[in-house]
Amino acid sequence: MDRGINDIGIIGLAVMGRNLVLNIADKGFSVAAFNRTTAVTQEFAGTLQPGQKIQPCYSLEEFVGALTKPRAVMIMVKAGNAVDAVIEGLVPVLEPGDIIIDGGNSYFGDTDRRVKSLAERGIHFLGVGISGGEFGARYGPSMMPGGPREAYEPVRVIFEAIAAKADGQPCVTYLGPASAGHYVKMVHNGIEYGVMQLISETYALMKMALGLTNDELARVYADWDAGELNSYLVEITSKIFRRRDDSTGSYLIDVILGEAGQLGTGMWTSQSAMDLHVPVPNIDVAVAMRSLSALEEERALAARLLTSVGGVPKTASQPHIEHVRGALRAAMIITYAQGFAHLRVASKALGFNLNLEDVAGVWRGGCIIRALLLRDIKGAFERSPELPNLLLDPPLSHEVASLRPALAEVVGGATISGIPVPGFMNALAYLDAYRTEWLPSNLIQAQRDYFGAHTYRRVDRDGIFHTDWLTE
Ligand code: NBP
């Protein structure tokens, strides 16, 4: 193949990289492909069909020489040091005006650092969050690009061609400068954690309190997916309950150890929200529950010692499936509301100037948190672009208010039964705190002033006050 003819190059031919290469080639663009370990490139080259516009490359020099200028190089390697290692190798062989794109799950602080240091060498850096896993990469992911706008234009046509489509619109749009794309992807993952926690709690409720079998659970989730809860995560949940284990023939779900792993994006979301003083309790608790799930031995010991709180009484506290369904819809809205409120604050604090209607649009297809609900969310930001919280959108607030009794019923019943539903509890508590004008925080402020002279403001006058609490 001639040199310098490929529209884009991909470095990293693991699951995501190789599927993106195939997706890009399917859409009529030519792609150069390189992987650090040559054997991986060779193996990938062996899978290619004649006529596919893909050029496997066996050195960085060959790879860079195979790209049209300005060169667009997309890095699809493990987030962290590997990205810096690839950039270090690329810088000497690239030229000013070339574009490096990081399509991995990089920490937004790393992206900010890379944007700055590469700009000093005249190289553009785009941080692009990509969601949808292997299937999304192959057939249409949701893409969240951020960085210098002028660097997005040359790759826009490729991104729009390969991204998922929702109502005919590509699930990709330029989101903002610097790390805007990776920040939005991070919050996407935080919402993903929150919703997965909620769905797992509906499983616990219907299995433990109602005794539903795996087949019945599969039917319930399929039924939910056909309605207002339609979403990727509910859809795959239904399929998971049908799957049999190849080796034992039993339901696969029943032989999977209940220890949930995490790669860090949920934790980053919680940490960054806390830095910005944005409450995202559903994301916080989802991260905490994954950590708690890993304390397997301790939980086994506690299950024996703390029996008085265990047991599932077959009493009136059993939830009704329709209430569980309503509680999930309400808590999902609340979880997305926390994520979008986080983005609203981050956008101002970090100068991203995010358009939240665009964010909702990009998440409508191809990604893990795609859901029918995002149509309502997109509509809310279309009506009111500066909406600080989705719970202030009239249609959504009306829906959540009407579902609150179901949410409270589910939380109350589960609490009496000893079934842990921290996701639902946090959603209810967030809702109740958010809709309560008077909170007992005046007492906290009085305590702070008492022991630390931290001062307080008054309800009846302007100014800052301090009381000498020790003098009666
Ligand atoms: P991995 O995250 O498993 O990374 C493997 C790739 O990184 C291989 O190509 C490997 O090359 C390369 N690599 C490593 Br490790 N260290 C390197 C180094 N120092 N220099 C050059 N290359 C290096 O791949 P993935 O699962 O395809 O994910 C890629 C990115 O996409 C990650 O950031 C991931 O978080 C993100 N992501 C993944 C998914 C998913 O479903 N898997 C979904 C969404 C986003 P080698 O062959 O030479 O070891």
Side-chain angles (χ1 to χ4, degrees), residues 5 103 177 233 268 316 463:
I5 62 155
L233 285 168
W268 295 345

Side-chain angles (χ1 to χ4, degrees), residues 400-423:
V400 169
S402 70
L403 291 171
R404 189 194 173 278
L407 182 56
E409 180 111 2
V410 164
V411 169
T415 308
I416 292 165
S417 303
I419 299 172
V421 288

Side-chain angles (χ1 to χ4, degrees), residues 11-18 34-38 40 75-83 85-86 102-106 130-134 185 263:
I11 297 183
L13 299 177
V15 181
M16 293 297 283
R18 66 173 57 204
F34 174 75
N35 192 79
R36 174 184 62 172
T37 303
T38 304
V40 174
I75 304 175
M76 291 305 303
V77 303
K78 200 175 169 66
N81 294 339
V83 177
V86 174
D102 175 15
N105 270 338
S106 291
I130 299 184
S131 177
E134 178 178 357
K185 174 61 169 38
L263 294 174

Side-chain angles (χ1 to χ4, degrees), residues 330 334 391 400-401 404 407 426-436:
I334 291 165
L391 297 182
V400 169
R404 189 194 173 278
L407 182 56
N426 272 278
L428 181 62
Y430 177 87
L431 172 65
D432 285 347
Y434 192 65
R435 72 190 180 99
T436 303

Side-chain angles (χ1 to χ4, degrees), residues 142-386:
S142 166
M143 302 177 75
M144 294 147 252
R149 187 183 265 282
E150 64 272 28
Y152 181 61
E153 277 312 307
V155 292
R156 186 172 58 83
V157 61
I158 300 178
F159 283 14
E160 288 182 356
I162 64 169
K165 308 288 180 295
D167 291 338
Q169 293 299 310
C171 294
V172 58
T173 193
Y174 174 78
L175 292 177
S179 59
H182 275 144
Y183 202 98
V184 169
K185 174 61 169 38
M186 174 185 75
V187 174
H188 163 287
N189 285 27
I191 294 172
E192 176 185 310
Y193 270 60
V195 173
M196 288 170 76
Q197 174 63 31
L198 292 170
I199 295 175
S200 76
E201 291 175 15
T202 62
Y203 166 40
L205 285 162
M206 292 190 286
K207 179 183 168 77
M208 295 167 72
L210 297 178
L212 262 57
T213 64
N214 290 326
D215 280 334
E216 288 167 337
L217 284 164
R219 278 198 290 279
V220 168
Y221 287 112
D223 181 39
W224 288 3
D225 187 45
E228 78 289 355
L229 288 171
N230 172 259
S231 57
Y232 174 73
L233 285 168
V234 171
E235 178 196 327
I236 63 165
T237 302
S238 168
K239 290 177 178 163
I240 286 167
F241 283 108
R242 288 210 173 86
R243 186 60 181 255
R244 296 276 182 171
D245 175 31
D246 291 340
S247 56
T248 60
S250 54
Y251 286 97
L252 185 56
I253 189 72
D254 294 330
V255 294
I256 294 177
L257 188 70
E259 176 194 15
Q262 47 185 325
L263 294 174
T265 45
M267 186 183 71
W268 295 345
T269 313
S270 277
Q271 286 170 337
S272 57
M274 216 161 270
D275 285 343
L276 294 168
H277 302 278
V278 188
V280 292
N282 277 82
I283 299 171
D284 300 337
V285 85
V287 175
M289 285 304 289
R290 289 202 190 184
S291 302
L292 195 145
S293 77
L295 303 177
E296 242 212 308
E297 280 181 25
E298 274 179 58
R299 286 192 291 111
L301 186 62
R304 288 193 292 276
L305 284 174
L306 303 169
T307 45
S308 61
V309 296
V312 182
K314 300 264 180 290
T315 65
S317 62
Q318 282 189 358
H320 191 283
I321 288 185
E322 277 309 300
H323 290 163
V324 180
R325 174 190 188 137
L328 179 57
R329 171 74 180 179
M332 263 176 79
I333 296 172
I334 291 165
T335 303
Y336 280 78
Q338 292 169 16
F340 275 96
H342 180 176
L343 286 178
R344 159 78 60 229
V345 175
S347 176
K348 287 210 175 91
L350 305 174
F352 294 150
N353 199 19
L354 293 175
N355 177 328
L356 295 185
E357 187 192 340
D358 281 352
V359 173
V362 162
W363 287 350
R364 285 194 54 205
C367 69
I368 306 297
I369 64 165
R370 67 180 181 260
L372 192 60
L373 171 60
L374 281 158
R375 186 186 60 186
D376 303 332
I377 293 175
K378 190 170 181 296
F381 288 119
E382 196 178 352
R383 281 188 292 280
S384 178
E386 296 305 317

